[in-house]
Amino acid sequence: MIGIDIGATKALGVALGGDGSVVAQVRFPTQAGPDGVLRTAARVVDELSGSVGPASMVGIGVPGMVDPDSGEVSHAVNLDIDGVPLALAARLAEVVGRRVVVENDVNVAALGVAALTGSTDLAYLGIGTGLAAGIVVDGRLRRGASGVAGEIGHVSVDPAGVLCGCGQRGCLETIASGSALARMWPGGESARVGRLRKAALDGDAHAATVWNQFADGLAQAVTAVALGVDPEVIVLGGGVVEAGDALLHAVEEALDRRASRSPFLATLHLADRLERVPSGPFAAVGAAMLGASRS
Protein backbone atom coordinates (compact mmCIF):
# COMPACT_ATOMS: atom_id res chain seq x y z
CA MET A 1 0.00 0.00 0.00
CA ILE A 2 1.10 3.57 -0.68
CA GLY A 3 0.17 6.40 1.66
CA ILE A 4 0.66 10.12 1.03
CA ASP A 5 0.43 13.00 3.49
CA ILE A 6 -0.01 16.19 1.46
CA GLY A 7 0.67 19.40 3.36
CA ALA A 8 0.92 23.02 2.34
CA THR A 9 4.68 22.88 1.76
CA LYS A 10 5.60 19.21 1.38
CA ALA A 11 4.16 15.83 0.44
CA LEU A 12 5.48 12.78 2.27
CA GLY A 13 4.85 9.36 0.79
CA VAL A 14 5.48 5.87 2.16
CA ALA A 15 5.13 2.34 0.87
CA LEU A 16 4.14 -0.33 3.37
CA GLY A 17 5.20 -3.95 3.19
CA GLY A 18 2.92 -6.87 3.89
CA ASP A 19 3.69 -6.67 7.62
CA GLY A 20 2.80 -2.96 7.77
CA SER A 21 6.40 -1.75 8.02
CA VAL A 22 7.66 1.22 5.98
CA VAL A 23 9.80 -0.14 3.13
CA ALA A 24 10.28 3.11 1.18
CA GLN A 25 9.76 6.81 1.79
CA VAL A 26 9.95 9.95 -0.35
CA ARG A 27 9.37 13.65 0.17
CA PHE A 28 8.67 16.34 -2.44
CA PRO A 29 7.61 19.99 -2.32
CA THR A 30 3.86 20.43 -2.72
CA GLN A 31 2.73 22.25 -5.85
CA ALA A 32 -0.27 24.42 -5.03
CA GLY A 33 -3.61 24.45 -6.79
CA PRO A 34 -5.74 21.53 -8.03
CA ASP A 35 -3.42 20.58 -10.89
CA GLY A 36 -0.34 21.09 -8.73
CA VAL A 37 -1.66 18.79 -6.01
CA LEU A 38 -2.43 16.14 -8.64
CA ARG A 39 1.06 16.42 -10.11
CA THR A 40 2.62 16.19 -6.65
CA ALA A 41 0.64 13.08 -5.69
CA ALA A 42 1.38 11.41 -9.03
CA ARG A 43 5.08 12.12 -8.62
CA VAL A 44 5.09 10.48 -5.19
CA VAL A 45 3.29 7.39 -6.52
CA ASP A 46 5.64 7.09 -9.49
CA GLU A 47 8.74 7.43 -7.31
CA LEU A 48 7.60 4.84 -4.78
CA SER A 49 6.41 2.44 -7.50
CA GLY A 50 9.83 2.69 -9.09
CA SER A 51 11.44 1.70 -5.80
CA VAL A 52 9.18 -1.11 -4.58
CA GLY A 53 6.93 -1.99 -7.49
CA PRO A 54 3.27 -1.18 -8.16
CA ALA A 55 0.87 -0.81 -5.25
CA SER A 56 -2.68 -2.12 -5.19
CA MET A 57 -4.10 1.09 -3.73
CA VAL A 58 -3.14 4.64 -2.79
CA GLY A 59 -4.39 6.42 0.34
CA ILE A 60 -4.06 10.20 0.70
CA GLY A 61 -4.46 12.58 3.60
CA VAL A 62 -5.12 16.25 2.80
CA PRO A 63 -6.20 19.32 4.78
CA GLY A 64 -9.63 20.80 4.17
CA MET A 65 -13.05 19.26 3.79
CA VAL A 66 -13.02 15.76 2.30
CA ASP A 67 -15.87 13.57 1.14
CA PRO A 68 -14.44 10.11 1.89
CA ASP A 69 -16.97 8.41 -0.39
CA SER A 70 -16.34 10.47 -3.52
CA GLY A 71 -12.77 11.50 -2.76
CA GLU A 72 -13.55 15.16 -3.42
CA VAL A 73 -11.56 17.85 -1.63
CA SER A 74 -12.81 21.40 -0.97
CA HIS A 75 -11.93 24.40 1.19
CA ALA A 76 -8.28 23.33 1.37
CA VAL A 77 -7.11 26.93 1.44
CA ASN A 78 -3.51 26.05 2.30
CA LEU A 79 -3.34 24.03 -0.92
CA ASP A 80 -5.01 26.80 -2.94
CA ILE A 81 -8.07 24.59 -3.46
CA ASP A 82 -11.28 26.50 -2.86
CA GLY A 83 -14.52 27.07 -4.68
CA VAL A 84 -14.92 24.15 -7.09
CA PRO A 85 -14.10 20.84 -5.31
CA LEU A 86 -11.16 18.81 -6.59
CA ALA A 87 -12.13 15.23 -7.50
CA LEU A 88 -8.74 14.09 -6.24
CA ALA A 89 -9.47 10.36 -5.95
CA ALA A 90 -11.00 10.00 -9.41
CA ARG A 91 -8.50 12.19 -11.24
CA LEU A 92 -5.42 10.66 -9.61
CA ALA A 93 -6.75 7.15 -10.22
CA GLU A 94 -6.90 7.96 -13.94
CA VAL A 95 -3.29 9.11 -13.88
CA VAL A 96 -1.70 6.31 -11.84
CA GLY A 97 -4.00 3.45 -12.78
CA ARG A 98 -4.78 2.42 -9.22
CA ARG A 99 -7.66 2.86 -6.84
CA VAL A 100 -7.27 6.00 -4.71
CA VAL A 101 -8.96 6.84 -1.41
CA VAL A 102 -8.81 10.27 0.26
CA GLU A 103 -9.38 11.39 3.83
CA ASN A 104 -8.86 14.47 5.99
CA ASP A 105 -5.25 14.79 7.20
CA VAL A 106 -6.12 14.78 10.91
CA ASN A 107 -8.07 11.55 10.48
CA VAL A 108 -5.22 9.78 8.70
CA ALA A 109 -2.83 11.06 11.36
CA ALA A 110 -5.04 9.43 13.99
CA LEU A 111 -5.00 6.15 12.07
CA GLY A 112 -1.23 6.33 11.75
CA VAL A 113 -0.71 6.99 15.45
CA ALA A 114 -3.04 4.09 16.25
CA ALA A 115 -1.06 1.80 13.94
CA LEU A 116 2.34 2.83 15.34
CA THR A 117 1.30 2.68 19.00
CA GLY A 118 -0.99 -0.31 18.85
CA SER A 119 -3.84 1.64 20.45
CA THR A 120 -7.39 1.04 19.26
CA ASP A 121 -9.02 3.76 21.40
CA LEU A 122 -7.49 7.19 21.00
CA ALA A 123 -7.94 10.79 20.00
CA TYR A 124 -5.23 12.58 18.03
CA LEU A 125 -5.32 16.31 18.76
CA GLY A 126 -3.86 18.14 15.75
CA ILE A 127 -2.56 21.55 16.84
CA GLY A 128 -1.55 23.46 13.75
CA THR A 129 -2.93 26.63 12.21
CA GLY A 130 -6.28 25.32 13.41
CA LEU A 131 -7.37 22.78 15.99
CA ALA A 132 -9.12 19.47 15.38
CA ALA A 133 -9.14 15.89 16.62
CA GLY A 134 -9.05 12.59 14.79
CA ILE A 135 -10.91 9.90 16.73
CA VAL A 136 -10.32 6.17 16.59
CA VAL A 137 -12.82 3.95 18.41
CA ASP A 138 -12.36 0.16 18.45
CA GLY A 139 -9.71 0.60 15.78
CA ARG A 140 -11.99 2.48 13.38
CA LEU A 141 -12.25 6.15 12.50
CA ARG A 142 -15.23 7.97 13.94
CA ARG A 143 -16.37 10.59 11.41
CA GLY A 144 -19.84 11.29 12.77
CA ALA A 145 -23.21 11.64 11.05
CA SER A 146 -22.15 14.87 9.31
CA GLY A 147 -18.44 14.16 9.05
CA VAL A 148 -17.50 16.71 11.71
CA ALA A 149 -16.63 14.43 14.62
CA GLY A 150 -13.54 15.83 16.28
CA GLU A 151 -13.97 19.44 15.12
CA ILE A 152 -13.49 20.62 18.69
CA GLY A 153 -11.72 23.76 17.53
CA HIS A 154 -15.17 25.23 16.94
CA VAL A 155 -16.55 24.57 20.41
CA SER A 156 -17.24 28.05 21.79
CA VAL A 157 -15.91 28.48 25.33
CA ASP A 158 -16.20 32.27 25.51
CA PRO A 159 -19.18 33.90 23.72
CA ALA A 160 -17.54 37.31 24.24
CA GLY A 161 -14.18 36.17 22.93
CA VAL A 162 -12.28 36.58 19.66
CA LEU A 163 -14.27 36.16 16.44
CA CYS A 164 -13.51 32.78 14.87
CA GLY A 165 -13.43 32.06 11.15
CA CYS A 166 -16.46 29.82 11.61
CA GLY A 167 -18.57 32.84 12.64
CA GLN A 168 -18.75 32.08 16.36
CA ARG A 169 -16.83 33.86 19.10
CA GLY A 170 -14.41 32.42 21.59
CA CYS A 171 -13.92 29.03 19.94
CA LEU A 172 -11.18 26.78 21.28
CA GLU A 173 -9.30 27.41 18.04
CA THR A 174 -9.01 31.10 18.97
CA ILE A 175 -7.09 30.25 22.15
CA ALA A 176 -5.39 26.90 21.46
CA SER A 177 -3.95 26.76 17.94
CA GLY A 178 -0.98 27.99 15.95
CA SER A 179 -2.97 30.96 14.67
CA ALA A 180 -4.03 31.85 18.22
CA LEU A 181 -0.43 31.68 19.40
CA ALA A 182 0.66 33.88 16.47
CA ARG A 183 -1.91 36.48 17.51
CA MET A 184 -0.88 36.40 21.17
CA TRP A 185 2.87 36.17 20.46
CA PRO A 186 3.65 37.77 17.05
CA GLY A 187 6.72 36.79 15.07
CA GLY A 188 7.91 34.23 12.55
CA GLU A 189 6.31 30.80 12.53
CA SER A 190 9.58 28.94 12.94
CA ALA A 191 10.30 27.87 16.54
CA ARG A 192 7.66 30.22 17.97
CA VAL A 193 6.87 27.89 20.87
CA GLY A 194 10.54 27.48 21.70
CA ARG A 195 11.16 31.24 21.70
CA LEU A 196 8.08 31.86 23.80
CA ARG A 197 9.14 29.27 26.38
CA LYS A 198 12.68 30.70 26.54
CA ALA A 199 11.35 34.24 27.00
CA ALA A 200 9.07 33.05 29.81
CA LEU A 201 11.96 31.29 31.54
CA ASP A 202 14.12 34.40 31.13
CA GLY A 203 11.60 36.42 33.14
CA ASP A 204 9.47 38.05 30.44
CA ALA A 205 6.16 38.51 32.28
CA HIS A 206 4.10 38.81 29.09
CA ALA A 207 5.69 35.68 27.65
CA ALA A 208 4.93 33.79 30.85
CA THR A 209 1.30 34.91 30.71
CA VAL A 210 0.92 33.85 27.07
CA TRP A 211 2.65 30.51 27.74
CA ASN A 212 0.31 29.72 30.62
CA GLN A 213 -2.78 30.87 28.70
CA PHE A 214 -1.85 28.74 25.72
CA ALA A 215 -1.20 25.66 27.85
CA ASP A 216 -4.50 26.17 29.67
CA GLY A 217 -6.32 26.53 26.35
CA LEU A 218 -4.88 23.21 25.21
CA ALA A 219 -5.92 21.70 28.53
CA GLN A 220 -9.46 22.89 27.80
CA ALA A 221 -9.27 21.19 24.40
CA VAL A 222 -8.03 17.94 25.95
CA THR A 223 -10.85 18.10 28.50
CA ALA A 224 -13.42 18.66 25.74
CA VAL A 225 -12.16 15.61 23.85
CA ALA A 226 -12.17 13.50 27.01
CA LEU A 227 -15.69 14.49 27.99
CA GLY A 228 -17.01 14.01 24.46
CA VAL A 229 -15.32 10.73 23.53
CA ASP A 230 -13.52 9.47 26.66
CA PRO A 231 -10.59 7.89 24.76
CA GLU A 232 -8.00 5.76 26.48
CA VAL A 233 -5.17 7.84 25.01
CA ILE A 234 -5.04 11.49 23.89
CA VAL A 235 -2.09 12.28 21.61
CA LEU A 236 -0.87 15.82 20.99
CA GLY A 237 0.43 16.41 17.48
CA GLY A 238 0.73 19.06 14.78
CA GLY A 239 3.33 21.67 14.01
CA VAL A 240 3.02 23.46 17.36
CA VAL A 241 3.94 20.30 19.31
CA GLU A 242 7.12 19.66 17.33
CA ALA A 243 8.94 22.12 19.60
CA GLY A 244 9.53 19.37 22.16
CA ASP A 245 8.23 18.01 25.43
CA ALA A 246 8.04 21.36 27.23
CA LEU A 247 4.57 22.09 25.88
CA LEU A 248 3.34 18.58 26.71
CA HIS A 249 4.50 19.02 30.30
CA ALA A 250 2.88 22.47 30.49
CA VAL A 251 -0.45 21.01 29.36
CA GLU A 252 -0.12 18.19 31.89
CA GLU A 253 0.46 20.78 34.63
CA ALA A 254 -2.57 22.78 33.45
CA LEU A 255 -4.70 19.62 33.56
CA ASP A 256 -3.46 18.88 37.07
CA ARG A 257 -4.36 22.41 38.20
CA ARG A 258 -7.87 21.95 36.82
CA ALA A 259 -8.17 18.58 38.51
CA SER A 260 -7.11 20.06 41.85
CA ARG A 261 -10.18 22.32 41.72
CA SER A 262 -12.60 19.67 40.49
CA PRO A 263 -13.05 16.28 42.16
CA PHE A 264 -14.92 15.19 39.01
CA LEU A 265 -12.02 16.01 36.67
CA ALA A 266 -9.59 14.47 39.15
CA THR A 267 -11.28 11.09 38.69
CA LEU A 268 -10.57 11.21 34.93
CA HIS A 269 -6.74 11.29 35.28
CA LEU A 270 -6.43 13.28 32.05
CA ALA A 271 -2.76 14.16 32.45
CA ASP A 272 -1.95 10.45 32.66
CA ARG A 273 -3.70 9.80 29.34
CA LEU A 274 -1.72 12.45 27.49
CA GLU A 275 1.05 11.50 25.06
CA ARG A 276 3.17 13.29 22.50
CA VAL A 277 2.91 12.10 18.92
CA PRO A 278 5.46 9.40 17.99
CA SER A 279 8.28 10.20 15.62
CA GLY A 280 8.14 9.05 12.03
CA PRO A 281 5.81 9.46 9.03
CA PHE A 282 2.69 8.55 11.01
CA ALA A 283 0.25 10.54 8.85
CA ALA A 284 1.48 8.93 5.63
CA VAL A 285 1.34 5.53 7.34
CA GLY A 286 -2.23 6.31 8.35
CA ALA A 287 -3.09 7.16 4.75
CA ALA A 288 -1.74 3.79 3.63
CA MET A 289 -3.68 2.06 6.41
CA LEU A 290 -6.78 3.89 5.20
CA GLY A 291 -6.26 2.34 1.79
CA ALA A 292 -5.88 -1.09 3.34
CA SER A 293 -9.06 -0.68 5.40
CA ARG A 294 -11.08 0.07 2.27
CA SER A 295 -9.62 -2.62 0.03
Side-chain angles (χ1 to χ4, degrees), residues 1-4 14-17 23-24 44-59 93 96-100 287-288 291-292 295:
M1 313 299 296
I2 285 177
I4 310 174
V14 299
L16 300 187
V23 295
V44 171
V45 173
D46 287 345
E47 184 73 16
L48 288 172
S49 297
S51 300
V52 300
S56 59
M57 186 179 293
V58 178
V96 301
R98 298 170 182 85
R99 186 182 174 206
V100 177
S295 60

Side-chain angles (χ1 to χ4, degrees), residues 30-51:
T30 300
Q31 298 180 41
D35 292 338
V37 169
L38 280 167
R39 286 193 297 270
T40 301
R43 183 182 182 190
V44 171
V45 173
D46 287 345
E47 184 73 16
L48 288 172
S49 297
S51 300

Side-chain angles (χ1 to χ4, degrees), residues 121-132:
D121 185 9
L122 68 81
Y124 167 81
L125 194 58
I127 311 160
T129 301
L131 175 70

Side-chain angles (χ1 to χ4, degrees), residues 113 117 233-237 248 252 271-277:
V113 171
T117 62
V233 179
I234 300 173
V235 180
L236 299 188
L248 174 67
E252 290 174 335
D272 295 335
R273 302 193 208 182
L274 209 58
E275 296 182 8
R276 185 183 170 197
V277 71

